[in-house]
Short mmCIF file of all heavy atoms in Angstrom, two decimals:
data_model
loop_
_atom_site.label_atom_id
_atom_site.label_comp_id
_atom_site.label_asym_id
_atom_site.label_seq_id
_atom_site.Cartn_x
_atom_site.Cartn_y
_atom_site.Cartn_z
N CYS H 116 -1.92 52.53 35.96
CA CYS H 116 -1.72 51.78 34.72
C CYS H 116 -0.25 51.88 34.31
O CYS H 116 0.34 52.97 34.35
CB CYS H 116 -2.61 52.35 33.63
SG CYS H 116 -2.40 51.54 32.03
N PRO H 117 0.36 50.78 33.91
CA PRO H 117 1.78 50.83 33.54
C PRO H 117 2.05 51.60 32.25
O PRO H 117 3.20 51.87 31.93
CB PRO H 117 2.16 49.35 33.38
CG PRO H 117 0.88 48.64 33.12
CD PRO H 117 -0.18 49.42 33.85
N HIS H 118 1.01 51.99 31.54
CA HIS H 118 1.24 52.75 30.31
C HIS H 118 1.50 54.22 30.62
O HIS H 118 2.59 54.72 30.39
CB HIS H 118 0.04 52.58 29.36
CG HIS H 118 0.22 53.27 28.05
ND1 HIS H 118 -0.75 54.06 27.49
CD2 HIS H 118 1.28 53.31 27.20
CE1 HIS H 118 -0.31 54.55 26.35
NE2 HIS H 118 0.92 54.09 26.14
N GLN H 119 0.49 54.92 31.16
CA GLN H 119 0.68 56.35 31.46
C GLN H 119 0.08 56.73 32.80
O GLN H 119 -0.42 57.84 32.97
CB GLN H 119 0.10 57.20 30.34
CG GLN H 119 0.94 57.15 29.06
CD GLN H 119 0.39 58.02 27.94
OE1 GLN H 119 -0.66 58.65 28.07
NE2 GLN H 119 1.08 58.02 26.82
N ASN H 120 0.07 55.78 33.71
CA ASN H 120 -0.25 56.06 35.13
C ASN H 120 -1.69 56.43 35.45
O ASN H 120 -1.95 56.97 36.52
CB ASN H 120 0.68 57.14 35.69
CG ASN H 120 2.12 56.70 35.67
OD1 ASN H 120 2.41 55.53 35.96
ND2 ASN H 120 3.03 57.59 35.30
N THR H 121 -2.60 56.17 34.56
CA THR H 121 -4.01 56.40 34.89
C THR H 121 -4.46 55.38 35.93
O THR H 121 -4.02 54.23 35.91
CB THR H 121 -4.87 56.25 33.62
OG1 THR H 121 -4.43 57.22 32.67
CG2 THR H 121 -6.35 56.46 33.90
N LEU H 123 -6.33 52.56 37.55
CA LEU H 123 -7.04 51.41 36.99
C LEU H 123 -8.36 51.19 37.71
O LEU H 123 -8.53 51.59 38.86
CB LEU H 123 -6.17 50.15 37.12
CG LEU H 123 -4.89 50.18 36.28
CD1 LEU H 123 -3.92 49.09 36.74
CD2 LEU H 123 -5.22 49.98 34.80
N CYS H 134 -8.23 50.07 32.11
CA CYS H 134 -7.72 51.44 32.12
C CYS H 134 -8.62 52.29 31.23
O CYS H 134 -8.72 52.04 30.03
CB CYS H 134 -6.29 51.50 31.60
SG CYS H 134 -5.72 53.21 31.47
N PRO H 135 -9.29 53.31 31.80
CA PRO H 135 -10.23 54.10 31.00
C PRO H 135 -9.55 55.01 29.98
O PRO H 135 -10.21 55.49 29.07
CB PRO H 135 -10.99 54.92 32.05
CG PRO H 135 -10.06 54.99 33.22
CD PRO H 135 -9.25 53.73 33.21
N LYS H 136 -8.24 55.25 30.11
CA LYS H 136 -7.60 56.20 29.21
C LYS H 136 -7.38 55.62 27.82
O LYS H 136 -7.77 56.21 26.82
CB LYS H 136 -6.27 56.68 29.80
CG LYS H 136 -5.65 57.83 29.01
CD LYS H 136 -4.55 58.50 29.78
CE LYS H 136 -4.06 59.74 29.03
NZ LYS H 136 -2.95 60.38 29.71
N HIS H 137 -6.73 54.49 27.74
CA HIS H 137 -6.47 53.89 26.42
C HIS H 137 -7.01 52.47 26.33
O HIS H 137 -6.54 51.68 25.52
CB HIS H 137 -4.97 53.89 26.11
CG HIS H 137 -4.36 55.25 26.10
ND1 HIS H 137 -3.30 55.60 26.90
CD2 HIS H 137 -4.67 56.36 25.39
CE1 HIS H 137 -2.97 56.87 26.69
NE2 HIS H 137 -3.79 57.35 25.78
N LYS H 138 -7.93 52.14 27.21
CA LYS H 138 -8.69 50.87 27.13
C LYS H 138 -7.85 49.61 27.31
O LYS H 138 -8.18 48.56 26.76
CB LYS H 138 -9.43 50.76 25.78
CG LYS H 138 -10.07 52.04 25.29
CD LYS H 138 -11.15 52.51 26.21
CE LYS H 138 -11.83 53.76 25.67
NZ LYS H 138 -12.41 54.60 26.70
N SER H 139 -6.76 49.70 28.03
CA SER H 139 -6.02 48.46 28.29
C SER H 139 -6.77 47.60 29.30
O SER H 139 -7.45 48.12 30.19
CB SER H 139 -4.62 48.76 28.83
OG SER H 139 -3.79 49.23 27.79
N TYR H 141 -6.50 43.95 31.82
CA TYR H 141 -5.58 43.04 32.49
C TYR H 141 -6.38 42.01 33.28
O TYR H 141 -7.47 42.31 33.78
CB TYR H 141 -4.68 43.79 33.47
CG TYR H 141 -3.99 45.00 32.91
CD1 TYR H 141 -4.63 46.24 32.87
CD2 TYR H 141 -2.69 44.92 32.42
CE1 TYR H 141 -4.00 47.37 32.36
CE2 TYR H 141 -2.05 46.04 31.91
CZ TYR H 141 -2.71 47.26 31.88
OH TYR H 141 -2.08 48.36 31.38
N GLY H 150 -4.93 46.33 24.59
CA GLY H 150 -4.93 47.78 24.78
C GLY H 150 -3.59 48.38 24.44
O GLY H 150 -2.75 47.76 23.79
N ARG H 151 -3.39 49.64 24.87
CA ARG H 151 -2.21 50.41 24.49
C ARG H 151 -0.98 50.07 25.33
O ARG H 151 0.14 50.37 24.95
CB ARG H 151 -2.56 51.90 24.64
CG ARG H 151 -1.59 52.88 24.01
CD ARG H 151 -1.89 53.18 22.57
NE ARG H 151 -3.14 53.90 22.38
CZ ARG H 151 -3.26 55.24 22.41
NH1 ARG H 151 -2.21 55.99 22.67
NH2 ARG H 151 -4.43 55.81 22.20
N ALA H 152 -1.20 49.51 26.52
CA ALA H 152 -0.05 49.21 27.40
C ALA H 152 0.87 48.18 26.75
O ALA H 152 0.47 47.45 25.83
CB ALA H 152 -0.54 48.70 28.75
S1 LIG N 1 -2.78 54.99 30.44
FE1 LIG N 1 -3.61 53.01 30.61
S2 LIG N 1 -3.53 52.22 28.61
FE2 LIG N 1 -2.70 54.21 28.42
#
Side-chain angles (χ1 to χ4, degrees):
C116 178
H118 183 226
Q119 288 181 358
N120 297 321
T121 299
L123 294 165
C134 175
K136 189 166 186 183
H137 301 123
K138 320 296 182 206
S139 286
Y141 309 85
R151 193 88 67 88

